[in-house]
Protein backbone atom coordinates (compact mmCIF):
# COMPACT_ATOMS: atom_id res chain seq x y z
CA UNK A 1 0.00 0.00 0.00
CA UNK A 2 1.33 3.44 -0.94
CA UNK A 3 0.53 6.23 1.47
CA UNK A 4 1.29 9.93 1.38
CA UNK A 5 3.26 11.15 4.37
CA UNK A 6 2.38 14.44 5.99
CA UNK A 7 4.98 15.36 8.57
CA UNK A 8 3.06 18.39 9.83
CA UNK A 9 0.34 16.00 10.80
CA UNK A 10 -2.49 17.91 12.40
CA UNK A 11 -4.60 14.76 12.52
CA UNK A 12 -2.10 13.15 14.88
CA UNK A 13 -2.28 16.16 17.20
CA UNK A 14 -6.06 16.11 17.12
CA UNK A 15 -6.28 12.38 17.88
CA UNK A 16 -3.84 12.76 20.77
CA UNK A 17 -5.75 15.72 22.11
CA UNK A 18 -9.18 14.11 21.90
CA UNK A 19 -8.09 10.70 23.17
CA UNK A 20 -5.57 11.85 25.76
CA UNK A 21 -3.26 9.09 24.51
CA UNK A 22 0.38 9.22 23.42
CA UNK A 23 0.55 7.66 19.95
CA UNK A 24 4.33 7.22 20.24
CA UNK A 25 4.09 5.09 23.37
CA UNK A 26 3.22 2.17 21.08
CA UNK A 27 6.17 -0.01 20.00
CA UNK A 28 4.21 -2.14 17.53
CA UNK A 29 4.12 -5.50 19.32
CA UNK A 30 0.79 -6.34 17.67
CA UNK A 31 -1.06 -7.63 20.72
CA UNK A 32 -4.00 -5.33 19.97
CA UNK A 33 -4.46 -6.88 16.52
CA UNK A 34 -3.96 -10.40 17.89
CA UNK A 35 -6.82 -10.00 20.34
CA UNK A 36 -9.18 -7.75 18.38
CA UNK A 37 -12.56 -9.49 17.92
CA UNK A 38 -13.28 -7.52 14.75
CA UNK A 39 -9.92 -7.97 13.07
CA UNK A 40 -11.21 -10.50 10.51
CA UNK A 41 -13.57 -7.85 9.13
CA UNK A 42 -11.02 -5.00 9.04
CA UNK A 43 -9.16 -3.52 6.09
CA UNK A 44 -6.36 -2.11 8.27
CA UNK A 45 -5.06 -3.87 11.37
CA UNK A 46 -5.48 -2.06 14.70
CA UNK A 47 -1.70 -1.81 15.20
CA UNK A 48 -1.41 -0.40 11.67
CA UNK A 49 -3.84 2.38 12.59
CA UNK A 50 -1.35 3.52 15.21
CA UNK A 51 1.62 2.98 12.88
CA UNK A 52 0.01 5.13 10.19
CA UNK A 53 -0.55 7.89 12.73
CA UNK A 54 3.06 7.59 13.92
CA UNK A 55 4.62 7.98 10.47
CA UNK A 56 2.34 10.81 9.42
CA UNK A 57 0.04 8.78 7.18
CA UNK A 58 -3.07 9.44 9.24
CA UNK A 59 -5.02 10.63 6.19
CA UNK A 60 -5.05 7.04 4.89
CA UNK A 61 -6.66 5.85 8.14
CA UNK A 62 -9.66 8.13 7.60
CA UNK A 63 -10.69 6.17 4.48
CA UNK A 64 -10.66 2.78 6.16
CA UNK A 65 -13.53 0.68 7.53
CA UNK A 66 -11.46 -0.34 10.54
CA UNK A 67 -12.19 2.67 12.73
CA UNK A 68 -15.95 2.18 12.30
CA UNK A 69 -15.73 -1.55 13.03
CA UNK A 70 -14.08 -1.00 16.41
CA UNK A 71 -16.81 -1.73 18.96
CA UNK A 72 -14.97 -0.13 21.91
CA UNK A 73 -14.65 -3.47 23.66
CA UNK A 74 -11.31 -2.43 25.24
CA UNK A 75 -9.63 -5.80 24.65
CA UNK A 76 -6.67 -4.01 23.06
CA UNK A 77 -6.44 -1.52 25.92
CA UNK A 78 -6.56 -4.28 28.53
CA UNK A 79 -3.73 -6.20 26.85
CA UNK A 80 -1.38 -3.39 25.77
CA UNK A 81 2.03 -3.80 27.45
CA UNK A 82 2.65 -0.06 27.12
CA UNK A 83 -0.66 1.03 28.59
CA UNK A 84 -1.82 2.59 25.34
CA UNK A 85 -5.60 2.76 25.05
CA UNK A 86 -6.19 2.11 21.36
CA UNK A 87 -9.96 2.11 21.85
CA UNK A 88 -9.62 5.77 22.82
CA UNK A 89 -7.49 6.51 19.78
CA UNK A 90 -10.04 4.89 17.48
CA UNK A 91 -12.65 7.13 19.07
CA UNK A 92 -10.31 10.07 18.53
CA UNK A 93 -10.18 9.31 14.79
CA UNK A 94 -13.95 8.77 14.59
CA UNK A 95 -14.73 11.97 16.46
CA UNK A 96 -12.28 13.92 14.26
CA UNK A 97 -14.05 12.71 11.12
CA UNK A 98 -17.51 13.43 12.52
CA UNK A 99 -16.50 16.93 13.62
CA UNK A 100 -14.72 17.81 10.37
CA UNK A 101 -17.38 16.48 8.02
CA UNK A 102 -20.28 17.45 10.27
CA UNK A 103 -22.10 14.57 8.61
CA UNK A 104 -23.50 11.41 10.16
CA UNK A 105 -21.75 8.17 9.19
CA UNK A 106 -24.96 6.18 9.57
CA UNK A 107 -28.50 7.49 9.22
CA UNK A 108 -31.54 5.82 10.80
CA UNK A 109 -32.87 4.55 7.43
CA UNK A 110 -29.59 2.62 7.01
CA UNK A 111 -30.04 0.81 10.31
CA UNK A 112 -31.55 -2.66 10.55
CA UNK A 113 -35.34 -2.71 10.39
CA UNK A 114 -36.17 -4.92 13.34
CA UNK A 115 -36.93 -4.45 17.02
CA UNK A 116 -33.62 -3.76 18.74
CA UNK A 117 -32.91 -3.20 22.41
CA UNK A 118 -32.64 0.55 23.03
CA UNK A 119 -29.02 0.26 24.08
CA UNK A 120 -28.12 -1.00 20.60
CA UNK A 121 -29.88 1.89 18.88
CA UNK A 122 -28.70 4.66 21.17
CA UNK A 123 -25.12 3.36 21.27
CA UNK A 124 -24.91 3.11 17.49
CA UNK A 125 -26.33 6.62 17.06
CA UNK A 126 -23.90 7.96 19.63
CA UNK A 127 -20.92 6.42 17.88
CA UNK A 128 -21.88 7.04 14.27
CA UNK A 129 -23.52 10.47 14.35
CA UNK A 130 -22.29 13.97 15.13
CA UNK B 1 -28.59 -0.05 54.37
CA UNK B 2 -30.77 0.88 51.44
CA UNK B 3 -29.12 0.63 48.04
CA UNK B 4 -30.28 2.67 45.05
CA UNK B 5 -31.06 0.62 41.97
CA UNK B 6 -30.56 2.12 38.53
CA UNK B 7 -32.47 0.05 35.95
CA UNK B 8 -31.64 1.77 32.69
CA UNK B 9 -33.87 1.73 29.61
CA UNK B 10 -33.58 -1.83 28.38
CA UNK B 11 -34.43 -3.41 31.73
CA UNK B 12 -37.93 -1.98 31.32
CA UNK B 13 -38.46 -3.42 27.83
CA UNK B 14 -36.58 -6.27 26.16
CA UNK B 15 -34.82 -7.30 29.37
CA UNK B 16 -37.89 -7.15 31.63
CA UNK B 17 -37.31 -10.74 32.79
CA UNK B 18 -33.81 -9.75 33.94
CA UNK B 19 -35.19 -7.05 36.22
CA UNK B 20 -38.10 -9.11 37.53
CA UNK B 21 -35.92 -12.07 38.44
CA UNK B 22 -33.16 -9.92 39.94
CA UNK B 23 -35.53 -7.96 42.16
CA UNK B 24 -37.14 -11.18 43.34
CA UNK B 25 -33.70 -12.56 44.20
CA UNK B 26 -32.77 -9.37 46.05
CA UNK B 27 -35.97 -9.58 48.07
CA UNK B 28 -35.54 -13.23 48.97
CA UNK B 29 -31.93 -12.65 50.05
CA UNK B 30 -32.85 -9.61 52.10
CA UNK B 31 -31.02 -7.06 49.97
CA UNK B 32 -32.59 -3.67 50.51
CA UNK B 33 -32.80 -2.35 46.96
CA UNK B 34 -34.94 0.57 45.89
CA UNK B 35 -35.35 1.92 42.38
CA UNK B 36 -33.93 5.39 41.88
CA UNK B 37 -36.81 7.82 41.27
CA UNK B 38 -36.88 9.75 37.98
CA UNK B 39 -33.77 8.15 36.58
CA UNK B 40 -32.55 9.16 33.15
CA UNK B 41 -30.49 7.43 30.46
CA UNK B 42 -26.97 6.49 31.58
CA UNK B 43 -25.56 7.43 28.18
CA UNK B 44 -25.36 3.79 26.97
CA UNK B 45 -21.81 3.88 25.65
CA UNK B 46 -19.12 5.71 27.47
CA UNK B 47 -17.76 8.56 25.35
CA UNK B 48 -13.99 8.24 24.95
CA UNK B 49 -13.43 11.84 23.88
CA UNK B 50 -11.62 13.75 26.61
CA UNK B 51 -13.05 17.10 25.56
CA UNK B 52 -16.70 16.13 25.17
CA UNK B 53 -18.27 16.92 28.53
CA UNK B 54 -21.79 16.94 27.11
CA UNK B 55 -21.80 13.15 26.75
CA UNK B 56 -20.94 12.75 30.44
CA UNK B 57 -24.03 14.60 31.62
CA UNK B 58 -26.27 11.52 31.47
CA UNK B 59 -24.26 9.30 33.82
CA UNK B 60 -23.21 12.15 36.13
CA UNK B 61 -26.81 13.31 36.44
CA UNK B 62 -27.77 9.85 37.63
CA UNK B 63 -24.95 9.81 40.17
CA UNK B 64 -25.83 13.31 41.35
CA UNK B 65 -29.42 12.25 41.87
CA UNK B 66 -28.47 9.17 43.87
CA UNK B 67 -26.10 11.27 45.95
CA UNK B 68 -28.69 14.01 46.47
CA UNK B 69 -31.13 11.44 47.85
CA UNK B 70 -28.52 10.35 50.37
CA UNK B 71 -27.53 7.00 48.86
CA UNK B 72 -23.97 5.83 49.29
CA UNK B 73 -24.27 2.86 46.91
CA UNK B 74 -25.88 2.52 43.50
CA UNK B 75 -26.38 -0.85 41.87
CA UNK B 76 -27.08 -1.77 38.25
CA UNK B 77 -27.98 -4.98 36.45
CA UNK B 78 -27.13 -3.97 32.91
CA UNK B 79 -23.41 -4.28 32.13
CA UNK B 80 -23.50 -1.24 29.89
CA UNK B 81 -25.06 1.00 32.52
CA UNK B 82 -22.53 -0.26 35.03
CA UNK B 83 -19.58 0.49 32.79
CA UNK B 84 -20.78 3.93 31.68
CA UNK B 85 -21.49 5.04 35.24
CA UNK B 86 -18.15 3.78 36.57
CA UNK B 87 -16.12 5.36 33.78
CA UNK B 88 -17.99 8.66 34.10
CA UNK B 89 -17.27 8.66 37.82
CA UNK B 90 -13.58 8.12 37.05
CA UNK B 91 -13.69 10.84 34.38
CA UNK B 92 -14.48 13.56 36.92
CA UNK B 93 -12.63 12.09 39.92
CA UNK B 94 -9.76 14.38 40.80
CA UNK B 95 -10.59 16.90 38.05
CA UNK B 96 -12.42 19.72 39.76
CA UNK B 97 -12.57 21.89 36.63
CA UNK B 98 -14.41 19.21 34.67
CA UNK B 99 -16.69 18.45 37.58
CA UNK B 100 -17.51 22.12 38.09
CA UNK B 101 -18.40 22.54 34.41
CA UNK B 102 -20.65 19.48 34.43
CA UNK B 103 -22.33 20.55 37.66
CA UNK B 104 -22.94 24.00 36.18
CA UNK B 105 -24.92 22.35 33.41
CA UNK B 106 -27.29 20.72 35.88
CA UNK B 107 -28.83 23.59 37.74
CA UNK B 108 -31.76 21.62 39.12
CA UNK B 109 -29.69 18.75 40.52
CA UNK B 110 -27.68 18.96 43.70
CA UNK B 111 -23.95 19.15 42.90
CA UNK B 112 -22.25 15.80 42.38
CA UNK B 113 -19.23 15.40 44.64
CA UNK B 114 -18.11 11.87 43.77
CA UNK B 115 -19.10 9.91 46.86
CA UNK B 116 -21.56 7.39 45.41
CA UNK B 117 -20.13 3.94 44.93
CA UNK B 118 -21.32 1.96 41.90
CA UNK B 119 -21.63 -1.78 42.38
CA UNK B 120 -22.88 -4.28 39.88
CA UNK B 121 -25.54 -6.67 41.21
CA UNK B 122 -23.02 -9.52 40.93
CA UNK B 123 -20.70 -7.68 43.31
CA UNK B 124 -23.56 -7.34 45.81
CA UNK B 125 -24.17 -11.09 45.59
CA UNK B 126 -20.48 -11.82 46.14
CA UNK B 127 -20.46 -9.54 49.17
CA UNK B 128 -23.33 -11.56 50.64
CA UNK B 129 -21.03 -14.53 50.28
CA UNK B 130 -21.26 -17.84 48.47
CA UNK B 131 -22.23 -19.68 51.66
CA UNK B 132 -25.27 -17.48 52.07
CA UNK B 133 -26.23 -18.21 48.44
CA UNK B 134 -25.72 -21.96 48.91
CA UNK B 135 -28.07 -21.89 51.91
CA UNK B 136 -30.75 -20.18 49.84
CA UNK B 137 -30.82 -22.87 47.15
CA UNK B 138 -34.19 -24.64 47.02
CA UNK B 139 -33.71 -26.57 43.82
CA UNK B 140 -30.19 -27.68 43.09
CA UNK B 141 -29.16 -27.19 39.46
CA UNK B 142 -27.09 -30.39 39.51
CA UNK B 143 -26.05 -31.61 36.10
CA UNK B 144 -26.83 -28.33 34.34
CA UNK B 145 -23.85 -27.39 32.19
CA UNK B 146 -23.65 -23.63 31.84
CA UNK B 147 -21.31 -21.40 29.83
CA UNK B 148 -20.74 -18.13 31.70
CA UNK B 149 -20.42 -15.27 29.24
CA UNK B 150 -19.07 -12.01 30.62
CA UNK B 151 -18.64 -9.96 27.46
CA UNK B 152 -16.71 -6.72 27.72
CA UNK B 153 -18.23 -4.16 29.95
CA UNK B 154 -18.11 -5.95 33.29
CA UNK B 155 -14.37 -6.44 32.88
CA UNK B 156 -12.86 -3.78 30.67
CA UNK B 157 -11.23 -1.34 30.91
CA UNK B 158 -9.37 -2.75 33.90
CA UNK B 159 -10.19 0.30 36.02
CA UNK B 160 -13.90 -0.56 35.79
CA UNK B 161 -13.58 -4.33 36.17
CA UNK B 162 -15.60 -6.33 38.69
CA UNK B 163 -13.14 -9.24 38.47
CA UNK B 164 -9.92 -10.34 36.78
CA UNK B 165 -10.26 -8.98 33.26
CA UNK B 166 -8.85 -12.03 31.45
CA UNK B 167 -9.95 -14.91 33.67
CA UNK B 168 -12.98 -13.84 35.69
CA UNK B 169 -14.51 -16.24 38.21
CA UNK B 170 -17.59 -14.54 39.63
CA UNK B 171 -20.25 -16.11 37.39
CA UNK B 172 -18.60 -19.55 37.63
CA UNK B 173 -18.52 -19.35 41.43
CA UNK B 174 -22.14 -18.26 41.45
CA UNK B 175 -23.20 -21.17 39.23
CA UNK B 176 -21.22 -23.63 41.36
CA UNK B 177 -22.91 -22.29 44.48
CA UNK B 178 -26.25 -23.07 42.83
CA UNK B 179 -25.08 -26.60 42.04
CA UNK B 180 -24.68 -26.06 38.31
CA UNK B 181 -21.57 -26.99 36.40
CA UNK B 182 -19.80 -24.11 34.62
CA UNK B 183 -18.01 -25.40 31.52
CA UNK B 184 -14.56 -24.45 30.25
CA UNK B 185 -15.29 -21.49 27.99
CA UNK B 186 -12.35 -19.60 26.46
CA UNK B 187 -14.66 -17.18 24.63
CA UNK B 188 -16.16 -15.89 27.88
CA UNK B 189 -14.60 -12.43 27.59
CA UNK B 190 -14.78 -12.06 23.79
CA UNK B 191 -16.82 -9.14 22.47
CA UNK B 192 -20.12 -10.10 20.77
CA UNK B 193 -20.08 -7.09 18.45
CA UNK B 194 -22.03 -4.75 20.71
CA UNK B 195 -23.87 -1.89 19.00
CA UNK B 196 -22.66 -2.89 15.51
CA UNK B 197 -25.74 -5.10 15.60
CA UNK B 198 -27.77 -2.05 14.55
CA UNK B 199 -25.75 -1.44 11.38
CA UNK B 200 -23.81 -4.62 10.54
CA UNK B 201 -25.89 -7.59 11.73
CA UNK B 202 -23.89 -10.11 9.66
CA UNK B 203 -20.63 -9.22 11.36
CA UNK B 204 -22.31 -9.65 14.74
CA UNK B 205 -23.80 -12.97 13.62
CA UNK B 206 -20.34 -14.25 12.63
CA UNK B 207 -18.98 -13.15 16.04
CA UNK B 208 -21.89 -14.68 17.93
CA UNK B 209 -21.53 -17.93 15.97
CA UNK B 210 -17.96 -18.41 17.18
CA UNK B 211 -18.89 -17.63 20.77
CA UNK B 212 -21.93 -19.94 20.78
CA UNK B 213 -20.13 -22.79 19.03
CA UNK B 214 -17.25 -22.51 21.49
CA UNK B 215 -19.75 -22.92 24.34
CA UNK B 216 -21.39 -25.87 22.62
CA UNK B 217 -18.11 -27.63 21.85
CA UNK B 218 -17.35 -27.50 25.56
CA UNK B 219 -20.63 -29.17 26.42
CA UNK B 220 -22.73 -26.19 27.49
CA UNK B 221 -26.50 -26.58 27.29
CA UNK B 222 -27.13 -22.89 27.96
CA UNK B 223 -25.29 -19.59 28.16
CA UNK B 224 -25.72 -16.93 30.82
CA UNK B 225 -25.00 -13.24 30.55
CA UNK B 226 -25.65 -9.99 32.41
CA UNK B 227 -25.99 -7.63 29.47
CA UNK B 228 -29.18 -7.03 27.48
CA UNK B 229 -27.14 -6.22 24.39
CA UNK B 230 -25.01 -9.37 24.63
CA UNK B 231 -28.25 -11.27 25.18
CA UNK B 232 -29.74 -9.82 22.01
CA UNK B 233 -26.63 -10.54 19.98
CA UNK B 234 -26.24 -14.10 21.24
CA UNK B 235 -29.94 -15.02 21.34
CA UNK B 236 -31.89 -13.00 18.78
CA UNK B 237 -29.10 -13.04 16.19
CA UNK B 238 -29.29 -16.86 16.08
CA UNK B 239 -31.75 -16.48 13.18
CA UNK B 240 -29.10 -14.49 11.30
CA UNK B 241 -26.52 -17.15 12.15
CA UNK B 242 -28.74 -19.82 10.57
CA UNK B 243 -28.87 -17.82 7.35
CA UNK B 244 -25.04 -17.82 7.19
CA UNK B 245 -24.34 -21.26 8.71
CA UNK B 246 -27.34 -23.46 7.81
CA UNK B 247 -26.22 -26.30 10.11
CA UNK B 248 -26.40 -24.14 13.23
CA UNK B 249 -28.66 -25.37 16.05
CA UNK B 250 -30.25 -23.08 18.62
CA UNK B 251 -28.70 -22.77 22.05
CA UNK B 252 -30.59 -21.04 24.88
CA UNK B 253 -29.27 -17.79 26.37
CA UNK B 254 -30.45 -16.61 29.80
CA UNK B 255 -29.72 -13.78 32.18
CA UNK B 256 -27.82 -15.10 35.17
CA UNK B 257 -30.68 -14.01 37.43
CA UNK B 258 -33.17 -16.20 35.53
CA UNK B 259 -31.13 -19.33 36.23
CA UNK B 260 -30.51 -18.16 39.77
CA UNK B 261 -34.15 -17.47 40.62
CA UNK B 262 -34.98 -20.94 39.38
CA UNK B 263 -32.41 -22.39 41.80
CA UNK B 264 -33.72 -20.27 44.67
CA UNK B 265 -37.19 -21.65 43.97
CA UNK B 266 -38.61 -18.23 43.11
CA UNK B 267 -39.83 -19.00 39.60
CA UNK B 268 -40.82 -22.03 37.62
CA UNK B 269 -38.17 -23.72 35.53
CA UNK B 270 -37.00 -21.35 32.84
CA UNK B 271 -38.55 -22.37 29.55
CA UNK B 272 -36.53 -22.31 26.37
CA UNK B 273 -37.78 -19.00 25.07
Amino acid sequence: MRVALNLQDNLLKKVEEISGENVFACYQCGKCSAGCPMVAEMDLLPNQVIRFLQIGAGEAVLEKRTIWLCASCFTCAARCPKGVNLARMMEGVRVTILRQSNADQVTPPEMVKEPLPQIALISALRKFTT
Amino acid sequence: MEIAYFPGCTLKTTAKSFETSALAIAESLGLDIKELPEWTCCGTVYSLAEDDLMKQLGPIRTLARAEGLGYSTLTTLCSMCYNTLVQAKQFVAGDSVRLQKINNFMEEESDYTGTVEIKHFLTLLMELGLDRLKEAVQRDLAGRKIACYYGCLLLRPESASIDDCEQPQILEQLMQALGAEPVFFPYQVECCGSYLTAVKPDIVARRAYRILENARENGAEAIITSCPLCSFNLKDRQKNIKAIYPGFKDIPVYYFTEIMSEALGITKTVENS
Side-chain angles (χ1 to χ4, degrees):
Chain A
M1 187 184 339
R2 295 177 67 86
V3 289
L5 300 189
N6 170 8
L7 299 176
Q8 275 74 48
D9 195 355
N10 291 325
L11 177 69
L12 171 63
K13 289 193 192 73
K14 276 207 179 70
V15 170
E16 286 196 323
E17 199 176 302
I18 293 170
S19 65
E21 295 294 314
N22 173 8
V23 170
F24 293 95
C26 160
Y27 57 18
Q28 291 293 316
C29 72
K31 276 186 84 168
C32 49
S33 299
C36 179
M38 289 295 159
V39 76
E41 314 280 345
M42 289 177 169
D43 51 0
L44 189 67
L45 297 173
N47 67 295
Q48 289 174 329
V49 169
I50 303 194
R51 191 65 189 137
F52 275 37
L53 287 167
Q54 285 174 337
I55 62 174
E59 295 298 321
V61 174
L62 303 180
E63 316 292 313
K64 298 283 185 263
R65 297 174 64 198
T66 290
I67 42 174
W68 301 106
L69 289 173
C70 161
S72 311
C73 78
F74 300 109
T75 305
C76 50
R79 294 179 184 175
C80 178
K82 296 295 299 292
V84 176
N85 192 324
L86 176 55
R88 278 185 178 277
M89 277 188 213
M90 293 276 199
E91 183 101 331
V93 179
R94 283 193 294 264
V95 167
T96 304
I97 294 172
L98 288 169
R99 288 179 189 175
Q100 277 178 345
S101 66
N102 201 17
D104 296 340
Q105 285 291 315
V106 171
T107 54
E110 293 166 323
M111 291 177 142
V112 297
K113 313 273 185 299
E114 58 184 301
L116 291 167
Q118 295 98 314
I119 44 178
L121 279 172
I122 308 290
S123 302
L125 288 168
R126 281 205 136 192
K127 289 284 183 185
F128 295 117
T129 64
T130 53
Chain B
M1 187 187 70
E2 200 176 73
I3 295 171
Y5 156 59
F6 176 79
C9 56
T10 312
L11 274 280
K12 299 293 181 186
T13 51
T14 55
K16 192 73 193 145
S17 59
F18 189 13
E19 180 182 59
T20 314
S21 53
L23 292 179
I25 289 167
E27 193 182 354
S28 77
L29 293 173
L31 284 168
D32 192 7
I33 286 181
K34 194 159 179 284
E35 188 175 321
L36 195 67
E38 294 181 46
W39 51 266
T40 47
C41 173
C42 71
T44 66
V45 272
Y46 178 73
S47 166
L48 297 165
E50 287 282 297
D51 58 353
D52 193 353
L53 298 184
M54 194 58 95
K55 288 207 168 76
Q56 308 297 344
L57 285 178
I60 299 293
R61 180 184 294 269
T62 295
L63 297 176
R65 186 156 293 165
E67 208 175 65
L69 292 166
Y71 287 108
S72 61
T73 311
L74 179 77
T75 189
T76 70
L77 288 163
C78 168
S79 305
M80 270 188 124
C81 294
Y82 166 79
N83 192 280
T84 311
L85 292 170
V86 171
Q87 290 206 70
K89 180 183 162 129
Q90 290 166 354
F91 180 75
V92 295
D95 192 325
S96 53
V97 179
R98 265 179 196 169
L99 186 58
Q100 185 63 48
K101 270 189 189 163
I102 289 174
N103 277 328
N104 289 347
F105 263 104
M106 301 185 294
E107 199 50 37
E108 70 278 19
E109 303 287 346
S110 55
D111 274 4
Y112 173 64
T113 60
T115 57
V116 173
E117 202 176 350
I118 303 135
K119 286 184 183 170
H120 191 267
F121 190 67
L122 279 167
T123 308
L124 293 183
L125 292 176
M126 287 295 138
E127 284 177 357
L128 275 180
L130 292 168
D131 295 341
R132 171 84 185 76
L133 298 177
K134 278 181 194 145
E135 284 163 24
V137 174
Q138 302 282 327
R139 193 184 315 139
D140 200 327
L141 299 177
R144 297 280 290 275
K145 291 183 177 230
I146 310 282
C148 302
Y149 180 71
Y150 291 80
C152 310
L153 297 177
L154 290 177
L155 306 170
R156 292 188 297 266
E158 225 167 330
S159 59
S161 185
I162 63 168
D163 201 347
D164 183 277
C165 70
E166 294 287 358
Q167 292 181 309
Q169 288 291 310
I170 289 184
L171 282 173
E172 281 84 353
Q173 287 169 349
L174 178 66
M175 286 300 120
Q176 275 169 336
L178 305 176
E181 190 186 325
V183 300
F184 172 71
F185 185 31
Y187 272 60
Q188 62 182 359
V189 300
E190 283 271 337
C191 176
C192 64
S194 186
Y195 51 82
L196 291 172
T197 202
V199 285
K200 305 218 183 280
D202 285 358
I203 288 183
V204 171
R206 287 194 284 271
R207 289 292 314 150
Y209 174 74
R210 291 178 64 171
I211 294 165
L212 296 170
E213 282 303 308
N214 182 257
R216 194 199 311 277
E217 279 161 17
N218 286 299
E221 60 190 68
I223 294 175
I224 55 163
T225 174
S226 97
C227 174
L229 188 46
C230 296
S231 170
F232 179 85
N233 286 344
L234 296 182
K235 190 161 91 179
D236 300 54
R237 285 276 169 246
Q238 291 191 18
K239 61 182 186 305
N240 303 64
I241 293 176
K242 282 196 195 107
I244 302 172
Y245 307 98
F248 179 80
K249 289 190 177 52
D250 283 331
I251 182 164
V253 178
Y254 304 118
Y255 292 110
F256 72 94
T257 52
E258 291 177 308
I259 296 272
M260 194 175 163
S261 59
E262 182 192 333
L264 301 190
I266 298 167
T267 52
K268 300 193 298 292
T269 305
V270 181
E271 296 299 324
N272 276 4
S273 52

